[in-house]
Amino acid sequence: MSQEEEYVRCDRCFEHFPAEELEECPSSWHEVKHGITIGHQFCSDCCVEVFQNEGCQSDVGNCDRATKLMAEHLKNYAEKKGFSSYEGKEHVYLDAFKAFCLADFSVSPEEIFEDEASLLPDELEFFEGKETFMVKQVDKKFSFSKVLVSEVLEAFEDLGCYKDRFYFLNKRHVLVVTSDGMWGALAPRTEEAFDVERSRFIEETRYGHKFFELGKEDGFVLVDTKMMEFDWSKLTDQKFVELCCDIVKSLPQVAKVRITEGTSDLGQDIEAIEVISSLVGKIKQKLTIQCKHFLARKVASSDIAQLPNSYSQLKFDVFWLMTDNYLLPSCHRMLDAWDKDDDLPFKVVRWDRKKIEDYLRNQAEIYTRYFG
């Protein structure tokens, strides 16, 4: 047999290779006759270039080489982001806070979470709030961090995967997001987030109704049954800390809360332990809460700049800033930078006046105690 008969030409680089080293591409072909097509055959190097430059994510599952390349790219991405293996399983990568995972299609969400009771979108109701992605199933409702949903979708985009679709694992209460080359899964938050979004929606609807002067002729009638007023000048610094403490105590996932003595200079006025849902079960994390009762000005970055230096003493998992004013852009930028800094092993939560007021509208007892 001649050398030409033993070797086959790659349809991209036009070099000749042993036939077994070429892969027929399911997305690239030429028509030899009307209605008759022949798939192009590529060598491994050309497949890598096509995958990186043109994208073969839609071929994952149909092309062995595309499936392998997708797995390699996801593994490299996970290592770069500092993700860990999910319970020692290959192809599934867990973020540092165990709140979401990413995986390729060599494994399925149902297999990983041992939950075959999946609900498709037409069996659920979805609502995207300001900070929360919500799922409702008949009389049950679940909240998921919109930030984490965005991180999953950004990972899809970074890896060239699109066509996002949501569904729900009913037994584990896990939200699954799939694309054409990989999938992600998120653990739920508590109903507290659902209540905050509900309150915010009501408030924004009230203001929108007034601003646009909507009425019956618009098919929109709003009955305002409760107006709460917040006079923050009534509170002293200590009273504001006590209010923040009561708010934290009211959260269903919080197990222990106390106002601390002697640590305010370190950036901690309150410490708490919360038990949260993760993809590996319930986990405890320590909250360090700093309270800023600033009536005359907004919170600046200089007001919190020393916080990372206190980490070695306080050892917290979450830094939570609460203020009855608002944050300057520089403060937001600093908190955003901390949240994205892999060298800082804590998450950041911020509640400004608007967020606190939204929450208190669902907490009449706490509201009355401080503003009634």
Side-chain angles (χ1 to χ4, degrees):
M1 185 178 291
S2 67
Q3 187 172 1
E4 285 74 19
E5 292 174 318
E6 295 175 354
Y7 280 69
V8 179
R9 190 183 72 168
C10 170
D11 289 317
R12 193 168 192 272
C13 67
F14 306 121
E15 297 289 334
H16 286 78
F17 298 87
E20 63 271 15
E21 293 184 13
L22 297 183
E23 186 84 22
E24 184 172 321
C25 181
S27 296
S28 180
W29 61 84
H30 66 277
E31 192 171 32
V32 293
K33 288 184 179 180
H34 181 67
I36 301 176
T37 60
I38 296 178
H40 288 149
Q41 298 188 82
F42 297 143
C43 66
S44 59
D45 289 342
C46 285
C47 281
V48 171
E49 290 182 11
V50 170
F51 190 92
Q52 291 175 338
N53 300 323
E54 301 174 27
C56 300
Q57 288 77 359
S58 60
D59 293 328
V60 170
N62 297 320
C63 171
D64 291 342
R65 196 167 280 170
T67 302
K68 181 180 178 181
L69 287 169
M70 184 71 242
E72 291 175 356
H73 279 238
L74 177 56
K75 182 179 180 181
N76 293 336
Y77 180 88
E79 290 175 352
K80 181 181 177 181
K81 292 289 186 178
F83 287 14
S84 59
S85 174
Y86 176 79
E87 295 187 345
K89 294 181 171 64
E90 294 184 359
H91 305 285
V92 188
Y93 307 98
L94 194 64
D95 80 303
F97 298 104
K98 300 179 175 60
F100 72 91
C101 70
L102 301 172
D104 61 53
F105 282 142
S106 61
V107 291
S108 71
E110 290 79 3
E111 174 189 352
I112 293 300
F113 297 109
E114 299 178 349
D115 185 352
E116 297 295 333
S118 59
L119 297 175
L120 298 178
D122 58 357
E123 302 174 85
L124 303 163
E125 293 181 64
F126 296 94
F127 184 84
E128 186 173 341
K130 291 285 186 181
E131 299 179 6
T132 312
F133 188 90
M134 289 164 283
V135 178
K136 188 164 71 170
Q137 179 224 349
V138 191
D139 59 341
K140 298 178 182 178
K141 51 186 182 287
F142 304 93
S143 304
F144 300 86
S145 167
K146 190 174 176 181
V147 171
L148 296 182
V149 172
S150 295
E151 287 191 31
V152 171
L153 297 181
E154 286 172 9
F156 288 178
E157 186 174 348
D158 289 343
L159 291 165
C161 298
Y162 301 96
K163 300 180 182 177
D164 310 316
R165 186 176 73 101
F166 295 87
Y167 70 93
F168 190 67
L169 296 182
N170 199 32
K171 186 170 72 174
R172 292 286 298 273
H173 303 156
V174 170
L175 180 67
V176 178
V177 193
T178 65
S179 72
D180 48 10
M182 56 186 287
W183 58 268
L186 299 94
R189 299 176 65 184
T190 63
E191 288 191 10
E192 162 265 321
F194 196 99
D195 292 336
V196 169
E197 290 289 357
R198 180 180 181 275
S199 182
R200 180 181 285 120
F201 176 80
I202 292 171
E203 190 69 13
E204 291 182 353
T205 302
R206 177 185 293 119
Y207 288 131
H209 175 270
K210 181 179 179 181
F211 181 85
F212 292 108
E213 300 177 350
L214 300 177
K216 289 183 179 180
E217 64 276 11
D218 303 296
F220 191 98
V221 177
L222 178 69
V223 179
D224 191 355
T225 59
K226 179 165 57 173
M227 284 291 291
M228 289 181 170
E229 295 183 356
F230 295 86
D231 184 357
W232 292 100
S233 64
K234 286 183 176 181
L235 304 186
T236 63
D237 288 349
Q238 181 60 28
K239 277 295 182 183
F240 180 65
V241 172
E242 292 173 8
L243 167 63
C244 293
C245 186
D246 284 343
I247 288 174
V248 176
K249 284 180 181 177
S250 71
L251 301 177
Q253 74 271 27
V254 173
K256 296 180 181 179
V257 186
R258 73 180 184 93
I259 296 175
T260 56
E261 300 291 340
T263 58
S264 59
D265 290 341
L266 297 174
Q268 175 178 268
D269 297 302
I270 302 168
E271 72 172 11
I273 301 296
E274 70 171 343
V275 181
I276 62 170
S277 297
S278 77
L279 292 177
V280 296
K282 300 290 185 180
I283 59 175
K284 292 182 179 180
Q285 56 183 18
K286 180 183 175 183
L287 312 180
T288 278
I289 301 151
Q290 189 172 141
C291 308
K292 297 294 187 185
H293 178 49
F294 286 1
L295 296 178
R297 66 177 181 86
K298 297 179 181 179
V299 182
S301 57
S302 58
D303 295 315
I304 60 171
Q306 297 303 313
L307 191 280
N309 299 331
S310 304
Y311 176 79
S312 60
Q313 292 176 261
L314 299 176
K315 297 293 185 185
F316 49 88
D317 301 298
V318 177
F319 170 63
W320 187 349
L321 177 62
M322 303 183 78
T323 179
D324 53 3
N325 207 311
Y326 296 94
L327 279 61
L328 288 172
S330 61
C331 188
H332 278 296
R333 287 194 294 270
M334 177 175 284
L335 292 172
D336 289 340
W338 290 354
D339 222 9
K340 296 175 182 177
D341 190 340
D342 294 334
D343 293 328
L344 295 177
F346 57 84
K347 293 185 290 184
V348 173
V349 176
R350 64 200 90 175
W351 279 34
D352 61 12
R353 176 185 294 179
K354 181 69 167 59
K355 182 71 177 281
I356 293 174
E357 290 180 357
D358 284 343
Y359 184 73
L360 290 178
R361 285 189 174 90
N362 287 296
Q363 300 291 330
E365 183 179 346
I366 301 177
Y367 170 82
T368 303
R369 192 178 305 153
Y370 293 92
F371 299 100

